[in-house]
């Protein structure tokens, strides 16, 4: 329909029962107008197609009159009755086109809306985006991830919106999560179906004596790949000598003749029609290739082959298609195909896969592309073989996903393994003491022995003291021991099923867990920024430090606010967090001291 | 007469080996005087012997230069110097102790005065274990042995290998090593010993009440310990000392064949030669 509008007589009905007001219905691409014949009537319509949801019509063969029903997107409908079904069809096509066009426009409008909304959202959620160009797909992925994982969302809100971390830093440690979506895309190279064309049977219409073959571009491609002789013929004959349609008709005629398995008729027909003979004869190209391959076997095959393996030309070989063993007449031999040949060829093609990635619509382009690919193959033999080898051994979608090769940062407290701090303190204390003692000793090793002996004689004379231990001292010792033993630190770990966290009230538990997650996140970024080499790292570290001190204070508050029953448990839980933060603070202070003691800043460090 | 003794033999008969630290350098600087210490210990030994008729006690003195047996309850002595102020066993013990100190001092004059003030714990541990082995071979009915170390001086890292060997052999013979440490800081060796052998490590907060500590924690026999909750140490210092310089180290190099520990990289292991 090249014209932009249609004008015809029609009757407008508001409902099915309505007799209808006669008038003229004019349709353009954007809207339709209805003007009744009677100028005094009120039913004038001027509706844009943007508001029309869909259209229905009555069928030609039914007893109903030709009606077209346009449904309004607000629920109503407009029914038009036409004078004939031909008019109806005209209008129907027009309405279809118009709706399609308006649908696209609507879609364009809605996508524009979507992108603007995401932009707005991103502006809201991001603090600054100067250094990153994100595609909308990535933005959506991040928002999805945040939506799904509430923990992640909380962390994100706390840090990114609170200004402690930038968006890029936050996601930098979560590359694995972002990568997940990529793996969803199929990296498979889809090859041919293994049945290829052998399973498509023609439809035979017994009444009209017609046999119908269905032909799609895919099937054409498969035929070209399977039968190089047909491919060659196509290139030669179409479009110079015959049209495509004729070509395929001849081809299918040949197929049909083959399927009758009557070798004599086949020979007769081949003698008559030269082009038909191409299809009926043995595929020369294939035969040549097979002979070549037999001479030089592909290393991926790894079998020993020689001319003696060419069994296809032995007599009495091959199961014929209908299962009967016909003793072939040699003159007609070339018009017969054997099932094994077909199967082998099919198998070879399927395994090779699609070598050409071309739009299948135009068989001419497909044919040419195939020729090109075959020519390339013929070129450099060894290179081709190497390519084939590499293609076969590298099956991408069966490979494991490429994981970023890193070990996750695990921040542990060295005091778990040794009483290292204590030992260090001890060492210094011991050294100090030993120095003291050494000075003492150098003077008095004899005196020491003397005093020892004196003590022994003293006790010998005095006897055992009475009482041995003063009662108050004994009592305090006993109390101390029992308190020590009964304190909860020894009760922990006794009952494996019960955990400390479960014993705490829910709010405290969630708070503590959240603090733990946020501390891990902060520490991860903190420790990864050392050694500080740029000013951006420096600012990042100071930001992190402020956030950490805030968390520290919050933890203290939690400890104090908790009931006395749970206080010890909570303090036990909070202690490793405090220790980790303390270690970080210590490192920060030490680093600051070093920096300030260096004096003049070097190279513009702040 | 095999049945009568077996009827008398209960689960809670114990043999207690007491390793007494007599390092003069420690005791001269300790807050608890040696005489008070001795009185606590002697009363404790008495009470042990009172708990069960068949209990046995043996005391080994850990000196600065040597170690020796001071007392053995299974050896009856006729020299009961009963002077009214203390039981006979005490006077015997003290006598022997004095003689030991004199001998130890004499040995000292020949040796040098360098190094830290540590006593020969490894020697006394080995002697205790030998005594226990003798008891094991004495017959089908024998008391259950355990070792109690009353130590004050700090660890000597040069004794690391010997002490660890002793600890492992104690572990193998299932002899728990209890330790009561009277020094200022914690002793890594004793902590490890108690941890590995399943004994109790205690550092008394109030040395004046030492007897109370001893009788509460260390007096129970092994069978009864299964029903009691004794103080557990919260952390153990697992540091080792290197084999070459005898320094305590946190991180070092290990020979992959014999697992000897070195502080510096060596091309050839001095223990096994690989």
């Amino acid at each position: 329909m090249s014209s932009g509008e249609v004008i015809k007589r029609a009757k407008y009905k508001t409902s099915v029962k309505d007799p209808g007001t006669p008038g003229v219905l004019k349709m353009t691409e954007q809207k339709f107008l209805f003007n009744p014949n009677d100028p005094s009537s009120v039913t004038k319509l001027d509706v844009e197609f943007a508001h029309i949801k869909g259209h229905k019509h009555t069928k030609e063969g039914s007893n109903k009159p030709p009606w077209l029903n346009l449904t309004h997107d607000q629920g109503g409908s407009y029914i038009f009755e036409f004078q004939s079904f031909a008019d109806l069809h005209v209008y129907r096509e027009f309405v279809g086109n118009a709706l399609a066009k308006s649908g696209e426009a609507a879609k364009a409008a809605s996508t524009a809306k979507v992108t603007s909304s995401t932009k707005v959202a991103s502006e809201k959620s991001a603090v600054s985006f100067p250094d990153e160009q994100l595609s909308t797909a990535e933005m959506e992925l991040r928002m999805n991830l945040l939506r799904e994982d509430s923990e992640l969302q909380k962390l994100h809100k706390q840090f990114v919106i609170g200004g402690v971390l930038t968006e890029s830093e936050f996601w930098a440690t979560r590359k694995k999560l972002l990568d997940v979506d990529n793996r969803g895309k199929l990296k498979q190279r889809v090859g041919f179906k293994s049945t290829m064309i052998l399973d498509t049977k023609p439809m035979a219409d017994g009444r009209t004596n017609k046999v119908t073959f269905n032909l799609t571009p895919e099937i054409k491609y498969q035929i070209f790949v399977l039968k190089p002789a047909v491919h060659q013929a196509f290139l030669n004959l179409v479009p110079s000598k015959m049209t495509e349609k004729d070509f395929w008709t001849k081809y299918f005629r040949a197929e049909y003749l083959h399927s009758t398995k009557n070798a004599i008729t086949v020979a007769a027909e081949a003698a008559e029609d030269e082009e038909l003979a191409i299809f009926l004869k043995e595929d020369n190209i294939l035969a040549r290739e097979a002979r070549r391959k037999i001479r030089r076997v592909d290393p991926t095959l790894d079998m020993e082959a020689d001319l003696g393996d060419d069994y296809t030309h032995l007599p009495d070989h091959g199961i014929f298609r209908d299962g009967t063993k016909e003793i072939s007449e040699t003159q007609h031999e070339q018009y017969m195909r054997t099932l094994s040949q077909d199967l082998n060829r099919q198998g070879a093609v399927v395994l090779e896969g699609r070598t050409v990635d071309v739009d299948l619509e135009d068989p001419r382009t497909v044919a040419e592309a195939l020729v090109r690919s075959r020519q390339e193959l013929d070129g450099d033999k060894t290179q081709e073989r190497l390519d084939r080898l590499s293609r076969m051994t590298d099956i991408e979608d069966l490979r494991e996903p490429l994981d970023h090769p890193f070990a996750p940062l695990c921040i542990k407290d060295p005091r778990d393994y040794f009483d290292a701090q204590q030992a260090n303190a001890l060492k210094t204390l011991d050294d100090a003491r030993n120095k003291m003692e050494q000075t003492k000793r150098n003077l008095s090793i004899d005196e020491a022995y003397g005093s020892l002996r004196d003590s022994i004689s003293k006790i010998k004379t005095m006897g055992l003291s009475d009482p041995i231990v003063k009662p108050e001292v004994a009592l305090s010792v006993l109390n101390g021991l029992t308190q020590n033993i009964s304190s909860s630190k020894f009760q922990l770990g006794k009952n494996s099923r019960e955990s400390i966290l479960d014993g705490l009230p829910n709010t405290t538990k969630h708070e503590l867990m959240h603090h733990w997650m946020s501390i891990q996140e902060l520490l991860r970024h903190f420790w990864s920024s050392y050694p500080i080499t740029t000013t951006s790292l420096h600012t990042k570290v100071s930001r992190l430090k402020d956030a950490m001190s805030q968390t520290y204070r919050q933890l203290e508050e939690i400890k104090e606010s908790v009931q006395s029953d749970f206080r010890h448990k909570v303090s036990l839980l909070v202690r490793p967090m405090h220790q980790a933060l303390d270690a970080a603070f210590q490192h920060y202070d030490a680093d600051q001291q070093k920096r300030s003691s260096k004096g003049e800043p070097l190279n513009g460090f702040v | 007469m095999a049945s009568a003794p077996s009827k008398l033999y209960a689960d809670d008969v114990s043999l207690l080996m007491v390793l007494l630290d007599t390092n003069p350098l420690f005791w001269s600087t300790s807050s608890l005087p040696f005489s008070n210490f001795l009185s606590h210990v002697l009363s404790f030994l008495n009470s042990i012997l009172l708990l069960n008729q068949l209990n046995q006690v043996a005391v080994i003195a850990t000196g600065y230069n040597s170690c020796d047996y001071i007392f053995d309850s299974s050896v009856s002595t006729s020299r009961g110097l009963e002077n009214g102020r203390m039981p006979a066993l005490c006077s015997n013990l003290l006598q022997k102790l004095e003689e030991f100190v004199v001998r130890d001092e004499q040995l000292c004059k020949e040796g040098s005065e360098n190094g830290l003030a540590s006593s020969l714990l490894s020697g006394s541990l080995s002697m205790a274990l030998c005594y226990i082995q003798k008891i094991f071979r004495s017959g089908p009915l024998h008391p259950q042995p355990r070792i109690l170390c009353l130590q004050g001086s700090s660890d000597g890292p040069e004794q690391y290998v010997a002490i660890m060997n002793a600890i492992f052999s104690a572990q193998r013979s299932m002899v728990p090593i209890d330790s009561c440490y009277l020094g200022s800081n914690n002793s890594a060796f004793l902590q490890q010993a108690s941890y590995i052998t399943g004994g109790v490590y205690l550092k008394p907060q109030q040395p004046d009440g030492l007897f109370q500590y001893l009788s509460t924690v260390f007096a129970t026999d092994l069978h009864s310990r299964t029903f009691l909750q004794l103080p557990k140490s919260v952390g153990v210092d697992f540091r080792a000392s290197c084999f070459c310089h005898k320094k305590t180290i946190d991180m070092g190099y290990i020979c992959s064949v014999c697992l000897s520990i070195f502080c510096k990289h060596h091309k050839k292991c001095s223990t096994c030669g690989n």
Side-chain angles (χ1 to χ4, degrees):
Chain A
M1 294 296 298
S2 47
S3 61
E5 57 183 41
V6 181
I7 304 178
K8 285 222 198 300
R9 283 183 196 283
K11 270 196 208 162
Y12 167 61
K13 303 154 89 92
T14 46
S15 70
V16 180
K17 294 238 165 75
D18 185 19
T21 41
V24 174
L25 176 63
K26 173 175 162 186
M27 265 194 203
T28 61
E29 278 177 2
Q30 279 85 39
K31 58 186 182 174
F32 67 88
L33 294 151
F34 180 76
N35 282 320
N37 288 339
D38 188 1
S40 60
S41 111
V42 202
T43 51
K44 264 198 190 165
L45 292 178
D46 183 355
V47 182
E48 286 193 33
F49 275 119
H51 296 299
I52 301 293
K53 254 195 319 191
H55 66 283
K56 289 185 279 196
H57 64 92
T58 55
K59 287 216 168 47
E60 204 171 323
S62 65
N63 295 330
K64 292 205 186 136
W67 284 344
L68 177 65
N69 186 347
L70 296 168
T71 42
H72 199 246
D73 63 1
Q74 278 157 14
S77 59
Y78 305 105
I79 305 180
F80 293 103
E81 188 178 331
F82 297 106
Q83 285 164 346
S84 71
F85 272 101
D87 288 350
L88 174 62
H89 287 317
V90 164
Y91 269 104
R92 192 163 56 87
E93 266 194 58
F94 201 79
V95 167
N97 285 339
L99 279 180
K101 283 212 185 99
S102 64
E104 278 176 21
K107 246 193 253 163
S110 65
T111 48
K113 274 192 223 146
V114 164
T115 48
S116 64
S117 69
T118 53
K119 241 194 251 167
V120 167
S122 70
E123 268 160 38
K124 272 196 215 142
S125 64
V127 179
S128 63
F129 259 137
D131 47 348
E132 243 191 310
Q133 299 293 325
L134 283 181
S135 62
T136 45
E138 277 202 41
M139 272 306 300
E140 289 220 20
L141 175 59
R142 287 185 184 185
M143 293 208 294
N144 277 342
L145 283 172
L146 285 178
R147 234 178 290 144
E148 283 161 20
D149 190 354
S150 64
E151 286 280 351
L152 202 63
Q153 195 178 34
K154 264 195 268 176
L155 281 178
H156 187 263
K157 207 166 50 157
Q158 189 184 355
F159 292 133
V160 179
I161 299 181
V164 180
L165 289 173
T166 64
E167 183 87 11
S168 51
E169 286 165 1
F170 183 76
W171 290 106
T173 56
R174 293 187 166 80
K175 283 209 171 69
K176 244 192 184 167
L177 284 177
L178 290 176
D179 265 348
V180 164
D181 203 49
N182 292 343
R183 267 182 251 138
K185 282 185 264 164
L186 274 180
K187 287 203 193 130
Q188 254 186 338
R189 277 180 296 145
V190 182
F192 290 117
K193 258 188 356 183
S194 57
T195 50
M196 282 185 93
I197 59 171
L198 284 186
D199 68 344
T200 54
K201 284 193 165 47
M203 287 182 298
D205 195 351
R207 252 185 329 135
T208 53
N209 261 348
K210 268 207 278 191
V211 178
T212 321
F213 285 89
N214 270 335
L215 197 58
T216 65
E218 174 70 23
I219 293 182
K220 285 185 204 164
Y221 179 50
Q222 286 176 357
I223 291 174
F224 286 154
V225 177
L226 263 182
K227 303 185 186 176
V230 174
H231 182 215
Q232 193 66 38
F234 184 82
L235 285 171
N236 293 339
L237 299 173
V238 175
S240 52
K241 288 217 191 125
M242 54 164 87
T243 63
E244 203 184 310
K245 201 156 171 219
D246 287 340
F247 179 81
W248 290 117
T249 322
K250 284 234 168 102
Y251 172 75
F252 282 118
R253 196 172 163 72
E255 283 288 315
Y256 178 68
L257 285 172
H258 268 294
S259 69
T260 58
K261 293 163 194 94
N262 196 338
I264 302 167
T265 36
V266 167
E269 289 262 356
E272 274 179 30
D273 189 348
E274 197 187 282
E275 283 129 14
L276 205 57
I278 300 175
F279 300 133
L280 293 171
K281 265 196 302 188
E282 201 185 277
D283 196 331
N284 280 333
I285 303 178
L286 265 183
R288 244 188 300 132
E289 269 187 35
R291 257 175 261 135
R292 193 171 38 112
K293 278 188 194 162
I294 288 171
R295 259 179 255 129
R296 216 125 135 274
V297 179
D298 199 354
T300 59
L301 207 48
D302 200 28
M303 283 196 308
E304 256 195 18
D306 61 0
L307 274 170
D309 285 328
D310 182 18
Y311 52 80
T312 52
H313 290 96
L314 293 174
D316 295 341
H317 170 78
I319 306 167
F320 295 177
R321 268 186 178 167
D322 64 347
T324 63
K325 254 198 136 196
E326 220 176 83
I327 299 168
S328 54
E329 295 166 24
T330 44
Q331 63 187 132
H332 299 308
E333 196 190 281
Q334 57 177 329
Y335 298 116
M336 290 201 292
R337 289 189 210 146
T338 56
L339 185 61
S340 58
Q341 278 177 324
D342 284 335
L343 282 178
N344 286 338
R345 177 67 194 159
Q346 176 123 331
V349 170
V350 170
L351 283 177
E352 221 178 63
R354 286 174 190 277
T355 51
V356 175
D357 277 321
V358 175
D359 184 22
L360 295 172
E361 287 305 318
D362 182 12
R364 183 88 204 163
T365 52
V366 172
E368 281 168 0
L370 267 178
V371 167
R372 253 180 282 132
S373 70
R374 289 235 181 86
Q375 275 173 355
E376 282 166 12
L377 291 180
D378 283 340
D380 187 359
K381 281 288 184 238
T382 46
Q383 189 55 40
E384 175 238 328
R385 214 175 290 145
L386 286 174
D387 286 339
R388 279 271 299 283
L389 277 172
S390 63
R391 252 193 299 140
M392 283 186 182
T393 50
D394 180 27
I395 303 174
E396 220 178 67
D397 52 319
L398 291 183
R399 240 204 260 138
E400 259 185 28
L402 283 172
D403 266 336
H404 303 282
F406 67 91
L409 181 61
C410 178
I411 302 168
K412 275 206 188 277
D413 191 13
R415 282 174 277 201
D416 289 343
Y417 297 102
F418 313 108
D419 275 354
Q421 301 296 66
Q422 200 188 10
N424 285 335
L426 287 185
K427 234 197 269 179
T428 49
L429 200 60
D430 261 344
D431 291 339
R433 184 172 273 273
N434 287 333
K435 283 204 194 95
M436 226 173 42
E437 286 179 358
Q438 228 166 11
T439 49
K440 256 194 178 170
R441 197 195 313 148
N442 285 334
L443 303 170
S444 65
I445 186 154
D446 291 332
E447 287 173 19
Y449 272 110
S451 69
L452 205 66
R453 268 180 291 148
D454 290 340
S455 327
I456 299 175
S457 15
K458 189 169 109 179
I459 191 174
K460 259 164 73 168
T461 48
M462 275 180 34
L464 301 172
S465 50
D466 181 26
I468 310 259
V469 178
K470 288 204 203 76
E472 316 83 61
V473 178
L475 187 61
S476 65
V477 165
L478 207 54
N479 282 337
L481 278 176
T482 46
Q483 243 178 18
N484 201 10
I485 294 170
S486 70
S487 74
S488 63
K489 59 181 164 178
F490 298 116
Q491 301 304 324
L492 294 177
K494 284 284 171 70
N495 191 356
S496 59
R497 259 163 279 151
E498 190 193 285
S499 79
I500 306 179
L501 278 176
D502 291 336
L504 294 172
N506 259 343
T507 47
T508 331
K509 181 165 128 179
H510 288 307
E511 267 183 52
L512 282 176
M513 298 279 277
H514 179 68
H515 277 297
W516 182 241
M517 299 256 322
S518 46
I519 286 178
Q520 287 280 48
E521 183 72 20
L522 285 170
L523 283 177
R524 202 179 292 147
H525 285 281
F526 179 82
W527 287 111
S528 61
S529 336
Y530 275 95
I532 300 183
T533 45
T534 67
T535 47
S536 63
L537 281 177
H538 192 84
T539 46
K540 179 176 171 191
V541 164
S542 36
R543 257 186 290 139
L544 288 170
K545 180 181 175 289
D546 296 332
M548 286 198 291
S549 358
Q550 208 188 10
T551 322
Y552 198 93
R553 256 177 283 127
Q554 281 173 341
L555 284 175
E556 302 253 2
E557 280 162 32
I558 292 181
K559 257 207 292 191
E560 270 142 42
S561 67
V562 144
Q563 268 181 328
S564 61
D565 302 346
F566 303 118
R567 200 164 294 182
H568 181 67
K569 289 188 194 163
V570 170
S571 64
L572 275 181
L573 287 171
V574 168
R575 198 179 351 147
M577 298 194 236
H578 271 188
Q579 281 175 346
L581 288 174
D582 284 339
F585 287 146
Q586 262 181 12
H587 189 91
Y588 180 78
D589 291 334
D591 200 55
Q592 287 289 76
Q593 259 189 345
K594 243 196 290 174
R595 257 165 219 291
S596 56
S597 69
K598 263 200 211 150
E600 280 295 306
L602 314 157
N603 295 341
F605 284 2
V606 170
Chain B
M1 282 294 285
S3 53
S6 65
K7 278 197 198 134
L8 291 172
Y9 237 90
D11 294 338
D12 53 356
V13 180
S14 51
L15 160 67
L16 179 66
M17 308 290 303
V18 181
L19 308 182
L20 213 59
D21 186 10
T22 60
N23 189 346
L25 298 165
F26 166 70
W27 288 115
S28 56
T29 57
S30 158
S31 54
L32 179 70
F34 191 61
S35 45
N36 292 0
F37 170 73
L38 276 179
S39 63
H40 289 288
V41 173
L42 290 169
S43 329
F44 173 64
L45 294 178
N46 231 351
S47 54
I48 290 283
L49 291 168
L50 285 171
L51 278 174
N52 191 311
Q53 239 185 346
L54 299 167
N55 273 356
Q56 293 176 36
V57 171
V59 182
I60 301 176
T62 316
Y64 188 61
N65 295 310
S66 60
C67 310
D68 201 3
Y69 292 98
I70 301 184
F71 176 74
D72 192 344
S73 64
S74 53
V75 172
S76 57
T77 99
S78 52
R79 285 193 325 176
L81 285 177
E82 187 76 49
N83 55 4
R85 270 175 284 233
M86 60 171 85
L89 80 91
C90 301
S91 48
N92 283 336
L93 195 151
L94 291 169
Q95 183 66 31
K96 287 243 178 89
L97 182 63
E98 201 170 355
E99 290 162 16
F100 168 75
V101 169
V102 167
R103 282 198 306 269
D104 201 42
E105 191 180 357
Q106 284 170 347
L107 287 170
C108 181
K109 289 209 171 91
E110 299 145 19
S112 59
E113 293 173 15
N114 307 334
L116 304 166
S118 63
S119 49
L120 294 177
L121 181 60
S122 54
S124 48
L125 267 177
S126 315
M127 289 171 79
L129 287 168
C130 290
Y131 188 91
I132 289 171
Q133 284 298 321
K134 188 182 91 165
I135 296 292
F136 276 151
R137 286 159 225 262
S138 61
L141 297 171
H142 58 262
Q144 287 175 325
R146 64 181 194 275
I147 301 179
L148 171 65
C149 292
L150 295 168
Q151 190 81 356
S153 26
S154 45
D155 304 329
E158 65 273 5
Q159 300 175 41
Y160 175 73
V161 181
I163 291 184
M164 290 315 287
N165 286 338
I167 292 171
F168 290 130
S169 70
Q171 182 193 29
R172 195 137 187 281
S173 330
M174 292 192 285
V175 174
I177 301 180
D178 302 326
S179 15
C180 183
Y181 188 70
L182 304 162
S184 48
N185 310 307
N186 278 311
S187 155
F189 292 165
L190 288 177
Q191 275 180 331
Q192 291 187 46
S194 306
Y195 178 78
I196 293 174
T197 55
V200 180
Y201 175 85
L202 183 70
K203 184 172 179 313
Q205 303 297 317
Q206 291 165 298
D208 297 340
L210 181 64
F211 175 72
Q212 185 63 50
Y213 283 107
L214 290 174
S215 54
T216 314
V217 181
F218 297 113
T220 48
D221 56 284
L222 295 181
H223 180 72
S224 312
R225 280 188 191 190
T226 53
F227 318 129
L228 297 173
Q229 231 178 32
L230 297 172
K232 280 181 280 211
S233 64
V234 189
V236 184
D237 185 356
F238 279 113
R239 282 177 306 154
S241 39
C242 72
F243 285 33
C244 39
H245 305 105
K246 315 293 182 198
K247 281 185 301 182
T248 320
I249 53 173
D250 297 359
M251 285 208 274
Y253 298 87
I254 295 194
C255 168
S256 43
V257 177
C258 63
L259 300 181
S260 343
I261 304 168
F262 301 102
C263 54
K264 285 211 238 352
H265 182 255
H266 287 227
K267 283 211 177 69
K268 203 164 148 165
C269 169
S270 51
T271 322
C272 64
N274 286 302

